Amino acid sequence: MKLTVGVIGAGRIGQLHIENLRHHPNIHIKWISDLYCEKLQGWIQKCGIEKSTKNHMDIINDPEVDAVIICSPTDTHVDIIKSACEQGKHIFCEKPISLTLEASSEAVEAVQKAGVKLQMGFNRRFDRNFAQVHNYLKAHRLGAVQSLRITSRDPEPPPLAYIEHSGGLFMDMSIHDFDMARYLMQCEVTEVYAQGAALVNPEIKTVGDIDTAVITLTFENGAMCVIENCRRSVYGYDQRVEVLGDKGMISVGNENTNTLTIASAENIAQDNPPHFFLERYQQAYKDEMEAFIQAIIENQDVRCSIEDGLNAQQIAVACKTSLETGQPVKF
């Protein structure tokens, strides 16, 4: 079965998905939509994309299009989701759904009413290591879990102009960790407590955000999770997980750029982790799109639903409230 798709948004993540999709045997990329398509014509032709447009409705109104891939700015997501639902298109949407719970709830309702498939772009679920931890815990091989620790650090902060429109650290960065915590623990969060500050770049505080945070989550089964975020990690993209249970501990370390360990009289050295998420999760991005394609072809449930996106967003909003009040927030 061949699916015809259109990609909305040709920025960094949109181009990544197109590069992964353009050689897929079950995919025909007919459309790409972006406000700056004319600057990308050489690349668009190289990718074999038939049509380009500045208006994403050209894609949604095309009866040949089976699915849309939403990689546009967050504030456009809900309107696109609603329009796609009205035309019966399946949807892949990058996180978050929107910047407000009200708008995201409207999108969830539209998807449920239309009966289309929508998969959220929480690519870390599709990392082979984290997926193996999920399966290990699902099989209760660690017994009852007491604690989960997630370390997530970016190599450097984004520009202030980006931060101003990102929704803040919890919505833009930590939301991946909130989804990962729910994915691994396989139950819901009942309380959050967040502390944070602008310690890397004090100017981030002037736009109402932070760059460093420590977040505590409590789950309905009583287990606890500590998430440590920072916008700067000079040694590379730092992504680690540790779970402690009755029968022991399971952990995932960083994937270094190679497996070399060089030992000398002076020191023992290894290469740094990959620089950023595009390198670290290269295979996971391919695997998440493969899962979306197969869910459509085989008429199966997606592995990361819009409801998962809403739940992660609810945690992000609660963390912001906790940061502002200095108090835990119960669900």
Side-chain angles (χ1 to χ4, degrees):
M1 179 179 179
K2 197 97 167 178
L3 299 176
T4 299
V5 304
V7 179
I8 301 173
R12 178 170 58 180
I13 198 67
Q15 292 185 31
L16 171 73
H17 287 313
I18 286 171
E19 289 293 344
N20 289 337
L21 285 170
R22 69 190 186 99
H23 299 300
H24 195 287
N26 298 112
I27 292 296
H28 169 224
I29 307 175
K30 183 176 181 179
W31 285 94
I32 185 168
S33 168
D34 194 273
L35 294 177
Y36 304 100
C37 273
E38 65 275 4
K39 297 181 180 180
L40 299 168
Q41 284 305 311
W43 176 77
I44 291 171
Q45 291 175 9
K46 171 193 164 189
C47 293
I49 301 172
E50 285 183 41
K51 297 186 177 184
S52 61
T53 179
K54 291 184 178 182
N55 184 359
H56 64 265
M57 290 304 299
D58 292 335
I59 299 175
I60 292 172
N61 290 329
D62 185 341
E64 291 185 359
V65 171
D66 300 299
V68 295
I69 316 296
I70 303 175
C71 308
S72 52
T74 300
D75 59 4
T76 67
H77 288 184
V78 172
D79 286 342
I80 297 172
I81 290 171
K82 288 180 178 179
S83 298
C85 285
E86 289 173 1
Q87 296 300 321
K89 312 295 186 188
H90 300 297
I91 305 160
F92 179 95
C93 183
E94 284 296 336
K95 61 80 193 170
I97 305 169
S98 77
L99 296 179
T100 70
L101 291 177
E102 292 79 9
S104 295
S105 296
E106 291 176 10
V108 172
E109 184 179 353
V111 170
Q112 292 173 343
K113 183 178 179 180
V116 299
K117 299 183 189 301
L118 187 148
Q119 180 173 308
M120 291 300 302
F122 285 119
N123 58 289
R124 296 181 192 178
R125 288 187 178 218
F126 298 87
D127 174 82
R128 59 188 177 89
N129 296 304
F130 297 148
Q132 192 166 346
V133 175
H134 169 86
N135 294 334
Y136 198 93
L137 298 177
K138 188 174 183 179
H140 304 290
R141 294 177 63 186
L142 209 60
V145 173
Q146 285 83 51
S147 65
L148 165 66
R149 176 178 290 274
I150 299 175
T151 300
S152 183
R153 299 169 181 156
D154 285 354
E156 58 189 18
L160 286 178
Y162 172 87
I163 289 175
E164 284 184 286
H165 300 95
S166 69
L169 180 128
F170 298 133
M171 193 74 75
D172 176 56
M173 179 181 175
S174 309
I175 196 166
H176 276 290
D177 304 306
F178 303 148
D179 181 69
M180 179 56 58
R182 293 184 60 252
Y183 173 65
L184 294 180
M185 296 298 293
Q186 298 161 59
C187 66
E188 299 301 336
V189 173
T190 58
E191 182 178 281
V192 307
Y193 179 53
Q195 293 178 290
L199 302 178
V200 173
N201 180 5
E203 289 187 13
I204 289 176
K205 187 176 180 180
T206 67
V207 296
D209 199 14
I210 59 175
D211 56 36
T212 306
V214 176
I215 304 152
T216 304
L217 308 179
T218 303
F219 291 88
E220 59 189 3
N221 63 3
M224 293 174 287
C225 170
V226 175
I227 298 171
E228 194 264 304
N229 291 138
C230 189
R231 287 285 197 185
R232 184 177 66 192
S233 171
V234 296
Y235 50 86
Y237 192 46
D238 193 355
Q239 300 282 288
R240 289 173 283 145
V241 161
E242 178 182 288
V243 188
L244 179 67
D246 287 342
K247 299 179 182 179
M249 183 267 288
I250 185 169
S251 64
V252 176
N254 285 315
E255 289 195 351
N256 292 352
T257 50
N258 59 53
T259 59
L260 291 175
T261 299
I262 302 172
S264 68
E266 290 77 25
N267 61 14
I268 297 176
Q270 292 180 315
D271 275 5
N272 290 5
H275 177 67
F276 210 9
F277 67 93
L278 294 179
E279 298 90 348
R280 169 62 178 83
Y281 292 113
Q282 185 178 27
Q283 187 61 45
Y285 279 113
K286 294 178 181 178
D287 291 344
E288 73 169 352
M289 199 57 71
E290 178 66 29
F292 176 59
I293 293 166
Q294 293 307 313
I296 297 173
I297 292 174
E298 298 174 10
N299 194 25
Q300 298 175 343
D301 291 339
V302 295
R303 287 166 55 185
C304 188
S305 68
I306 191 170
E307 290 84 3
D308 289 318
L310 182 61
N311 282 326
Q313 187 177 345
Q314 288 172 332
I315 298 171
V317 171
C319 282
K320 185 174 182 180
T321 301
S322 177
L323 180 70
E324 292 171 346
T325 62
Q327 299 293 323
V329 175
K330 290 185 181 295
F331 281 77

